[in-house]
Amino acid sequence: MIKLDITKTAPFVSAETINGYAERVAEAQKALEAGTCPGNDFLGWLHLPSSITPAFLDEIKATAATLRSECDAVVVAGIGGSYLGAKAVIEALSNSFQWLVADGKNPVILFAGNNIGEDYLSELTAYLSGKRFGVINISKSGTTTETALAFRLLKKQCEDQRGKDVARKVIVAITDAKRGAARTCADKEGYKSFVIPDNVGGRFSVLTPVGLLPIAVAGFDIDQLVRGAQDMEKTAAAPFAENPAAQYAATRYALYAAGKKIEILANYQPKLHFIAEWWKQLFGESEGKDGKGIYPASVDLTTDLHSMGQWIQDGERTIFETVISVETPEHELLFPSDDENLDGLNFLAGKRVDEVNKMAELGTQLAHVDGGVPNIRIAIDRLDAYHLGQLIYFFERACGIHCQLLGVNAFNQPGVEAYKKNMFALLGKPGYEKETEAIRNRLK
Ligand code: PA5
């Protein structure tokens, strides 16, 4: 099970202060469970893991098997919550040099629809040229511009290259049951489709087909992922003292109240980079509203100790750090001895690389605490599907609780609309005539 260590926040917020929030955390949990919190029509994630049935996982696996056998590459089109969870889990479980060691057993998984970079899309379509590729088109609203744009290109290319009949087999839609252009298109074309439940928002959807299908297509164990989340869901009812998500939420809240407005999620395994990206979206989009919310940032360590290390150690003291640590790496690699010892590193000979990494982690944590940065440590035993499942639910639950403490609706994202309105006005989208005129006048 996930281990949470908050002892290195003690110089900044006392245990008494954190424990003092136990009652408010209990109320927050009650509001989530009873559905009395703001945004209560989006609480489907709360007991999602335990509601997943073997039959449902079999359906996902069967579709994944079709894509795996029919495609050498599968493009996952989606943005935000319709992309980051799958990307995070796939990156965390893949070989670090996946694109070089690909042995053809698994399709190459690519992502699109998460940007509007012309070079990105041109290079992607060039790479796919002549390849047996398929597409998983993911959009809850079914109308997101970035995703729709990429899907339009990919659909056409897939049909041109593979013919309409095969394209129908290798394009899968994951979208709303009834609404949106992605649903209309899927129904019209007869694509295999999965429904994103109405009551599960994008950033809480990794354990729906949104995350599970791409992860299964990549060849990873979705049974274990779900089992990990189910086991973590069981801890959600535990008393405050034994409840890691409740403790994490209360500690964050205490730090925020003490002026620590930025949380930096640090990892010591490059494979966790996108877990931090997923986490940033989960917390950023859920909390950042009404002038409130901890700003979620991230660093990859020890890499970024040589870029952001100075700032963290010595910059403005409005930050705290949360480290995700993997107790046991998958591989074992020992430092060799060298007769000449020109680099002076023979004192490390025979040690595991991970021992050095762990000492870097501990040394950094102590240095940051000395520098005025409270530290939280979240440890998982291994970087596998089961523990990632735990981590996902742990963060979702903590986020749900923390948003109640802040008094914000965790499940909406009104701020995201502002850029869309301007972009559509600038592009002259039909229906935006008034906004187009206003924005053009503003830019004169
Ligand atoms: O968490 C969210 O709700 C958002 O980040 C969405 O996932 C994102 O905007 C994509 O939306 P859609 O799935 O409707 O294309």
Side-chain angles (χ1 to χ4, degrees), residues 52-357:
I52 296 174
T53 62
F56 170 75
L57 290 174
D58 285 347
E59 191 188 345
I60 300 260
K61 284 184 247 174
T63 305
T66 305
L67 288 171
R68 285 169 64 78
S69 69
E70 296 289 332
C71 305
D72 299 322
V74 173
V75 187
V76 180
I79 193 167
S82 288
Y83 130 80
L84 281 163
K87 174 79 175 169
V89 172
I90 291 170
E91 288 271 322
L93 296 178
S94 292
N95 186 295
S96 304
F97 304 95
Q98 185 62 27
W99 72 98
L100 295 174
V101 300
D103 54 7
K105 281 195 200 136
N106 297 304
V108 176
I109 307 295
L110 301 158
F111 291 86
N114 55 64
N115 66 70
I116 320 177
E118 188 161 349
D119 287 344
Y120 185 93
L121 287 167
S122 301
E123 286 160 16
L124 174 67
T125 48
Y127 169 81
L128 294 171
S129 171
K131 292 208 167 51
R132 287 184 342 131
F133 80 91
V135 185
I136 306 175
N137 185 33
I138 310 178
S139 178
K140 182 164 182 180
S141 63
T143 54
T144 301
T145 310
E146 290 88 340
T147 307
L149 196 75
F151 182 64
R152 184 185 274 224
L153 287 165
L154 293 165
K155 175 177 187 284
K156 179 168 184 324
Q157 185 174 4
C158 187
E159 287 170 353
D160 289 350
Q161 282 179 206
R162 309 196 67 179
K164 270 217 157 221
D165 286 344
V166 177
R168 263 189 211 107
K169 249 171 94 180
V170 296
I171 296 177
V172 178
I174 305 178
T175 187
D176 188 80
K178 296 191 192 85
R179 283 163 297 153
R183 168 55 56 201
T184 312
C185 171
D187 290 348
K188 184 177 160 282
E189 298 286 359
Y191 299 149
K192 168 75 187 163
S193 70
F194 290 93
V195 169
I196 307 174
D198 274 352
N199 59 359
V200 181
R203 54 193 174 275
F204 289 85
S205 69
V206 52
L207 298 170
T208 72
V210 169
L212 295 176
L213 181 64
I215 293 165
V217 173
F220 298 116
D221 190 338
I222 55 171
D223 294 325
Q224 285 300 317
L225 187 79
V226 169
R227 200 166 66 78
Q230 287 169 341
D231 286 349
M232 188 49 67
E233 184 189 328
K234 286 181 200 143
T235 71
F240 183 72
E242 296 142 36
N243 187 326
Q247 292 264 328
Y248 177 51
T251 307
R252 292 178 88 243
Y253 191 67
L255 290 167
Y256 184 60
K260 304 296 183 188
K261 307 289 186 194
I262 301 167
E263 178 176 17
I264 302 178
L265 191 71
N267 70 71
Y268 284 80
Q269 302 290 343
K271 290 181 185 191
L272 289 173
H273 175 85
F274 269 93
I275 290 287
E277 296 304 314
W278 169 81
W279 171 89
K280 283 196 279 197
Q281 192 222 351
L282 177 68
F283 280 88
E285 218 166 55
S286 301
E287 286 188 12
K289 49 199 72 152
D290 307 335
K292 299 182 203 170
I294 296 172
Y295 182 84
S298 65
V299 286
D300 297 325
L301 303 183
T302 60
T303 313
D304 293 336
L305 289 177
H306 299 260
S307 62
M308 296 306 293
Q310 173 61 37
W311 200 102
I312 297 172
Q313 187 67 42
D314 234 1
E316 199 178 335
R317 303 295 73 186
T318 47
I319 57 171
F320 65 100
E321 188 174 50
T322 299
V323 175
I324 303 184
S325 188
V326 179
E327 303 281 28
T328 313
E330 201 184 327
H331 304 285
E332 188 172 321
L333 182 65
L334 303 181
F335 270 108
S337 175
D338 185 293
D339 286 347
E340 291 193 81
N341 195 25
L342 293 177
D343 53 13
L345 288 179
N346 266 356
F347 73 102
L348 297 176
K351 286 195 195 302
R352 285 185 70 169
V353 172
D354 191 57
E355 192 180 332
V356 181
N357 202 23

